[in-house]
Structures are given as C-alpha cells and as structure tokens.
Amino acid sequence: MFKLKNYINGELVEPASQQYIDNYDPSRGVVYSLIPDSDERDAELAITAAKEAFKTWSITPKDTRSKYLLKIASLIEEQLHELAVAESLDNGKPLHLAETVDIPRAAANFHFYGTGILHYAAQAHSVEDTAINYTLRQPVGVAGCISPWNLPLYLFSWKIAPALAAGCTVVAKPSEITPMTAYLLSEICVKAGLPKGVLNIVHGFGHKVGNAIVSHKDVPLISFTGGTKTGANIASIAAPMFKKLSLELGGKNPNIIFADCDYDKMLATTMQSSFANQGQICLCGSRIFIERSIYEKFKTDFVAKTQKLIVGAPMDSKTKIGAVVSKSHMEKILSYVELAKQEGGTVLCGGEPVNVSGEFENGYYLAPTIVEGLAFDCRTNQEEIFGPVVTIMPFDKEEEVMQYANSTQYGLASTVWTQDITKANRVAMNLHTGIVWINCWLLRDLRTPFGGVKSSGVGREGGFEALDFFTEPKNVCIKLK
Ligand code: NAD
C-alpha cells in the first residue's frame, strides 16, 4: 500500500517511529494509503531544519522568494487534474469541486502572495524636521502552520504561501484525515527546487506531532485553522510562551433572507451556501432565517430543489453531494439530526444515510437535510454540525432576526439577502461576524481580511493582514537635528 512521507530538510523521509496511520477513501469506506505517524522526534528534525534555513531565507531578496512561490503556483496549475483527483479521493468531495475550487485556489494562494510580497511596504512617521521613524517588517522565524480536512490544499497553502513570502520558514502539518495533497505539494516543492528546510511538512495526529510543533520553544508563531476546542487548547499552550497566534475556528453562520430579496438569485445561492462540499465549509450558512411573508414559498422551493440534489460517487460528473469525510463524522452529523428531532424539529427532507451501490456501498453518504420548527437557542441551532444539515426559521422583524443571528458563541460569517441597500448596510453593521456577504456567498477577494470574532477565532488572514502576521514590526527612530 502507498506510504506517504514527511518532507523534512528538502527530503522525503519516513517517520522516526516507522509507524503509519490508515488513510481512508471516504467514498468507498476503505483504507487506500498510509500516513506517517510522526511524533516529537520528527517535529524536532523539521524545526531544526527550518531554523537553519531561516538564516538565509529571511534575508533572501523578496524577488527571489517570489520566483519560488510563482514556480510552485505554476506546477500546481500543471498538475491540476492529478491534484484534484487526489483531493476528491482523500476527502470525498465531488471531483468537479476540487477541479474548479480547491486546486485553482491553492495555485492562486501561491500566486497571490508570490506577487503580493513585491508590493508590501512599511510605514514611516516623520516628526517635522527633527526626527524620522520608520518601521522595519522582519520575518518572525519558524512558523507552525496547522490546517483541517475540509478544504485540504486550499487552506494549507493559504497559510504556507504568506509565511514563505514574508521570509518565515515553515513547519506545516495537514490534517491526518486528508494528507494526500500536502504530500503531493512536498513533491512539487522538490521539483521547484525550493531550498532545503524552507518548508517542512510533517504528517500525523494533532495531539502528537501537532502538539509537538505548538509547544516547541523555537516556533514563535502558530497559524491554525480547525475546531474551536482545538484552538482553545493551542492557545492555552502558546499564550504563556507569548507566541504570535492566528486562529481560524468554527462557525454557525446565519443566512438572513428578507422578503424584498432577488428571490431566484437567493434560492440558487442558498443551495450552495447550505450544501457545498457536503456542508463542510466553515462559511456555510447552516441557520436560515426567512421573513415570514415568503417563508412557505421558500420552504416548498428549497425542499424541492434539495431533494433533487444527486448524492453519489465523487468522481461521477452528475454528483452534487459526495461523501462526508469519515465514518465518525457521519455518525456525528446523524447524532445532530436525532438531537434536532428530540428538540422538537421536523425533518423536511434527508436526515439519513444514502446507499450508493456497487463499490461505493460502504462509503459515507448522507442526504442533504432540512429541519424546521426549532427554537433559535436550542443546541441544534447553537452548535456547529459541519455537515449537509440546515435549519429554517421564520422571522417577523429585523430586530428579532438580529437577536437570532447574533445568539451563538460563533461569529465567522453571515449572509444577508435584501434589495434595500440601507437595510443591508444597517444589518451588516449590527452582525457580530468577521465577514458579511450581501446578496452573495463565498465571493472571495484574496486582498480582504478573512476571519471571525467571538469563538470563531483571533486575527485575520488574507491580503497584507497575513504578511503583517508573519512579520514583526520594529520601529527605528532617527534624530535628525
Ligand atoms: P480539528 O481542530 O480537529 O483539527 C485541525 C487540525 O489541528 C488538524 O491538522 C489536527 O490534526 C490538528 N490538531 C488537533 N489537535 C491538535 C493539538 N492538540 N495540537 C495541535 N494540532 C492539533 O478540526 P477539523 O475537524 O480538522 O476541522 C473542522 C473544523 O475546522 C470546523 O470546526 C471548521 O469550522 C473549522 N474550520 C474553520 C475555518 C476558518 O477559516 N475559520 C476553515 C475551515 C475549517
């Protein structure tokens, strides 16, 4: 069976333990490759290599760093199909989605920061003619980058690219549930001739090798995307060591639909924001609030469209909903459907596994699910499910829906549908989320600040915010007279 390798100091190597973890194909429910079960010994090797490489990478001209990033971007583009197939197989997502979203975005991340670093400038503050202050933006050191399984290469590269562009070296750990494209990225970096030790990729469990990276004294900054509980654990280790932290965590995003919206556009986009990637996107709008005058119409249309979504094998071009990422995740999602029923909800469609026949009969398929009749503050409406499950609720007044929308511990993203620009602006001002989409969803501009408030995270990724994170500002004051 194919064994993935760690990428340490420019080489593809086995883990110190010589132990491996099973890697599942969720579309078939079978083990199809083996992942290094790395531990603190592998983390130590990777951090030592990154520390050594930092001595030269941090002072390598940004034009040269840029060229490496652009080379990696073009190699990802050249291997787009191969990477998309690998992502789909590893994660269960429809191949079409990996081909049009995940992999192009991974290439775009390297391209964006490969060019972005060339435009990154620092401030200067003059004190009339007596003194001048200027800010140096210097790379911090070895960055620990840890990412989740839902958008594997997309989110992995979203951290690595700005870190490398800024002049940091990196020890990165992809999710042990979806490690394949990170492994393929290490092969790409070898092909691109990236100097040894600049990027190191170690595979394995979060509590083992992930924890070893987070707690290591020579890793002064951690960029983490994943669950809120894991983020809290990482913060508890990193904060007393005064590490710089960027935490992109869970969400329970509201989708607010006013009666004066462009109905057809709203409905088409709400299908996406509810069920894209099997609902496993941190930005999915899993709580849908609909103004009462259009509630019944919306309910009928939304349920009818959802029932037509084809659940099937990820590589099948007709498939709209692939497999969820693992058996345990499928069970977690189903347990929330049971909870919704116990809390008084009515399942309008879905709510059960789907049997995809033949070689896929043991895969982890779920029917897209809509629940109504729940209170805004019940557990189903407060906790992150992270699957193809949404709730729908009517509202009468704007103040009422604002209370519902802002009621969770999370504050990642929100979506608002209305043709009234004044109302849209007022609602956006009052939503407690880091991102507000008006009449759209997941319309990304990589220059914008990305991140959440409350339990959805600390700090922002994207644009120059990420370059600010991976560099330390140093003020230099010169007296002129
Ligand atoms: P997770 O927290 O279980 O794991 C994320 C990563 O952290 C994995 O690589 C894992 O191995 C590692 N990890 C686990 N324990 C660790 C520890 N003690 N020390 C160091 N590393 C550790 O999350 P997941 O299940 O992979 O991903 C789903 C979650 O990610 C959801 O909550 C989702 O909302 C969130 N997410 C957030 C964003 C965002 O931008 N805010 C984007 C995508 C996903």
Side-chain angles (χ1 to χ4, degrees), residues 146-150 155 173-177 204-207 210-211 214 224-228 230 233-234 248-251 282 384 386 412 450 456 461:
I146 299 179
S147 59
W149 50 255
N150 63 324
L155 290 174
K173 195 199 88 63
S175 169
E176 64 276 24
I177 301 169
F205 291 119
H207 66 268
N211 181 63
V214 169
F224 170 79
T225 300
T228 292
T230 316
N233 181 272
I234 288 174
E248 300 291 343
L249 310 176
C282 55
E384 186 184 43
F386 215 52
L412 187 53
F450 179 93
S456 288
E461 295 186 322

Side-chain angles (χ1 to χ4, degrees), residues 240-306:
M241 297 174 83
F242 306 109
K243 296 183 183 228
K244 267 185 118 173
L245 266 182
S246 165
L247 300 173
E248 300 291 343
L249 310 176
K252 187 77 179 174
N253 310 305
N255 177 4
I256 303 172
I257 300 168
F258 288 100
D260 63 356
C261 67
D262 180 326
Y263 187 84
D264 293 341
K265 279 191 189 148
M266 175 280 295
L267 189 60
T269 306
T270 294
M271 295 302 296
Q272 291 293 320
S273 64
S274 302
F275 302 121
N277 205 37
Q278 297 70 248
Q280 301 166 136
I281 300 181
C282 55
L283 306 162
C284 277
S286 54
R287 295 178 297 145
I288 309 177
F289 304 109
I290 309 102
E291 197 163 356
R292 197 176 298 278
S293 59
I294 60 164
Y295 183 80
E296 286 304 323
K297 175 173 167 52
F298 172 80
K299 174 175 147 181
T300 308
D301 294 345
F302 186 45
V303 170
K305 264 183 157 331
T306 300

Side-chain angles (χ1 to χ4, degrees), residues 68-80 107 110-111 188:
Y68 282 115
L69 266 70
L70 296 180
K71 175 81 186 155
I72 294 170
S74 57
L75 287 171
I76 293 174
E77 276 162 1
E78 275 171 32
Q79 288 176 225
L80 191 145
F110 278 101
H111 192 266
I188 285 175

